[in-house]
Amino acid sequence: TKQLTDRTPLQLDGVETLVGRTATVTRAVDAGGGRIRMGADEWSARSQHSSEQFAVGATVRILQVDGATAVVGDALE
């Protein structure tokens, strides 16, 4: 249908919906990387600022998505 052809690729649509959501850290996250889980999905992640580190079990907020990596910050911000 025309509605489908006018849309951006599904991957990009999906990424847009992640921003602002919270996730749980499954492998400690710092500026160099880490892992987060949101629902059934696990993502590569890194902190927004080099000084930020998030321990396993912490809740973080997705601030942006850079390729296949979620950039995360403090969920309370």
Side-chain angles (χ1 to χ4, degrees), residues 3-75:
Q3 188 176 18
L4 289 176
T5 58
D6 287 346
R7 294 177 57 120
T8 56
L10 285 176
Q11 184 179 8
L12 294 177
D13 280 357
V15 162
E16 303 261 326
T17 68
L18 299 177
V19 174
R21 293 182 60 186
T22 57
T24 303
V25 175
T26 58
R27 194 165 74 212
V29 173
D30 60 20
R35 302 285 290 177
I36 59 172
R37 178 175 298 280
M38 191 171 43
D41 298 322
E42 194 163 301
W43 285 72
S44 293
R46 64 177 167 81
S47 60
Q48 181 180 33
H49 303 292
S50 59
S51 60
E52 286 181 315
Q53 294 183 349
F54 301 100
V56 171
T59 299
V60 293
R61 185 169 310 280
I62 297 172
L63 304 175
Q64 66 186 69
V65 178
D66 180 13
T69 301
V71 179
V72 300
D74 194 317

